[in-house]
């Protein structure tokens, strides 16, 4: 999430630089500034990719270990279950579905909460100029 905030900041700096270049005034940008911004986004992207790969690996590893633990919990009742046709496949599929669903829900909830926490200060700063909401009237920092 922190990398998303950094990329968001980079977009602001980059588009300000583009606007500066298009103004054709005394403050026109230099070539070195453009290359500096491109190098910055390059490092941010490389870092983002590495973090995403590592995070995905640990999430899948945790999910696999949890599926193994669920299967072990089902095996305690195996003497009663083995008479049911397809019980082994059912145990495997049920544990896989449950672990995958919980993984997606948990990861999405954590990422959403972290994004909210990370971007709230940015929204608060941007909303200092917005003082009125059409339905509610005057509200300081309305965003």
């Amino acid at each position: 999430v922190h990398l998303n905030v950094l990329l968001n900041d980079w977009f602001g700096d980059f588009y300000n630089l583009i606007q500066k270049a298009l103004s054709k005034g005394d403050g026109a940008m230099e070539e070195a500034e453009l290359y500096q911004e491109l190098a910055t986004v390059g490092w941010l992207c490389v870092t983002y990719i590495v973090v995403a790969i590592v995070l995905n690996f640990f999430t899948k590893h945790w999910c696999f270990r949890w599926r193994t633990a669920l299967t072990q919990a089902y095996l305690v009742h195996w003497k009663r279950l083995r008479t049911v046709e397809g019980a082994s496949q059912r145990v495997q599929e049920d544990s896989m579905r449950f672990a995958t669903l919980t993984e997606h829900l948990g990861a999405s909830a954590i990422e959403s909460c972290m994004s909210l926490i990370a971007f709230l200060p940015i929204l608060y700063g941007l909303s200092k100029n917005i003082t009125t909401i059409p339905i509610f009237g005057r509200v300081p920092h309305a965003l």
Side-chain angles (χ1 to χ4, degrees):
V1 173
H2 181 65
L3 288 171
N4 286 335
V5 172
L6 292 176
L7 279 171
N8 190 32
D9 288 341
W10 177 84
F11 276 116
D13 294 340
F14 183 73
Y15 286 119
N16 287 341
L17 188 65
I18 297 296
Q19 185 176 3
K20 182 179 170 183
L22 294 175
S23 69
K24 295 184 182 178
D26 290 335
M29 75 166 201
E30 295 182 17
E31 191 175 334
E33 289 177 300
L34 177 64
Y35 290 133
Q36 177 63 37
E37 289 298 323
L38 292 177
T40 301
V41 78
W43 282 110
L44 284 173
C45 290
V46 166
T47 305
Y48 193 92
I49 290 168
V50 169
V51 167
I53 289 170
V54 170
L55 185 62
N56 188 32
F57 170 77
F58 282 115
T59 303
K60 297 298 181 188
H61 181 72
W62 174 79
C63 187
F64 177 74
R65 289 183 59 138
W66 193 30
R67 281 180 55 196
T68 304
L70 283 172
T71 302
Q72 293 297 325
Y74 281 137
L75 287 178
V76 172
H77 306 288
W78 183 249
K79 287 185 181 182
R80 287 183 293 157
L81 293 174
R82 71 181 202 176
T83 59
V84 177
E85 183 178 344
S88 62
Q89 182 179 359
R90 179 79 187 262
V91 166
Q92 185 270 334
E93 285 183 10
D94 287 351
S95 63
M96 179 191 65
R97 285 182 187 159
F98 182 70
T100 303
L101 177 67
T102 306
E103 171 198 355
H104 289 297
L105 289 175
S108 297
I110 290 170
E111 185 178 355
S112 297
C113 289
M114 289 176 65
S115 294
L116 181 66
I117 290 168
F119 281 100
L120 270 178
I122 296 170
L123 282 175
Y124 187 77
L126 291 174
S127 67
K128 65 183 172 189
N129 297 326
I130 300 173
T131 57
T132 306
I133 297 178
I135 297 173
F136 299 107
R138 185 163 178 77
V139 177
H141 295 282
L143 288 178

